[in-house]
Amino acid sequence: MAITGIILGVVVLLVLAPVVAAVVYRLVVVRRDSTSVLVKRDGGDAWRHGAVRYSDTDLAFYRLLSVRFGADVRLDRRSLELGPRRQPTGHELDVAESGELIVSFSGHDRSGGIREGEICVGPAELTALLAWVEACSTDQVRSPARRRR
């Protein structure tokens, strides 16, 4: 009976360790160098808490409570388009903080599919996002091998 308990304990530990590691990674490492946001997919009802990180070539969205180590969605910087801004209304007021704005977006993910939705951010975070999108140049998003030519 004791051996069965030990084996069961080891199996549970082997299953739970990666899940706990992924959640801790999301909560500590990803959130440290990112911007907190709410995102809603086009046609969806639920707002997802998460974080975005900007790179030279893409915007990566990480859901807050996910067991993936990588980004849940990556949008190509060159294809990202932001729509008009609006104030939260109705049930959105329950999840949005005071002063936050909602902006629609559209962009291509890594597989070439189009992702559309809305992002809810504060005014300072929106200014940073707009500046990042507008500062995109073709030289900046070229691969390092192509820049050397």
Side-chain angles (χ1 to χ4, degrees), residues 21-142:
V23 170
V24 168
Y25 175 78
R26 290 278 173 135
L27 292 174
V28 176
V29 176
V30 170
R31 290 187 71 191
R32 180 179 53 215
D33 298 324
S34 62
T35 301
S36 294
V37 297
L38 291 169
V39 174
K40 182 172 76 169
R41 291 176 57 161
D42 197 31
D45 293 339
W47 286 93
R48 305 276 185 216
H49 290 270
V52 292
R53 282 181 157 181
Y54 307 106
S55 73
D56 286 346
T57 59
D58 59 23
L59 177 138
F61 173 71
Y62 297 83
R63 281 196 341 233
L64 183 60
L65 293 176
S66 176
V67 294
R68 295 180 55 155
F69 280 99
D72 293 293
V73 176
R74 288 189 181 275
L75 298 177
D76 184 309
R77 184 176 185 176
R78 293 171 293 183
S79 70
L80 188 60
E81 294 181 16
L82 301 176
R85 297 169 217 161
R86 66 177 180 83
Q87 297 289 326
T89 59
H91 73 281
E92 295 170 340
L93 294 169
D94 295 334
V95 294
E97 293 185 19
S98 178
E100 288 186 326
L101 298 168
I102 297 174
V103 180
S104 60
F105 69 86
S106 174
H108 295 278
D109 61 17
R110 284 193 164 177
S111 65
I114 296 176
R115 297 283 185 125
E116 296 179 332
E118 293 180 310
I119 187 168
C120 181
V121 293
E125 291 81 6
L126 179 58
T127 300
L129 175 61
L130 291 169
W132 177 79
V133 169
E134 292 171 2
C136 181
S137 70
T138 46
D139 189 49
Q140 191 173 13
V141 293
R142 285 189 197 151

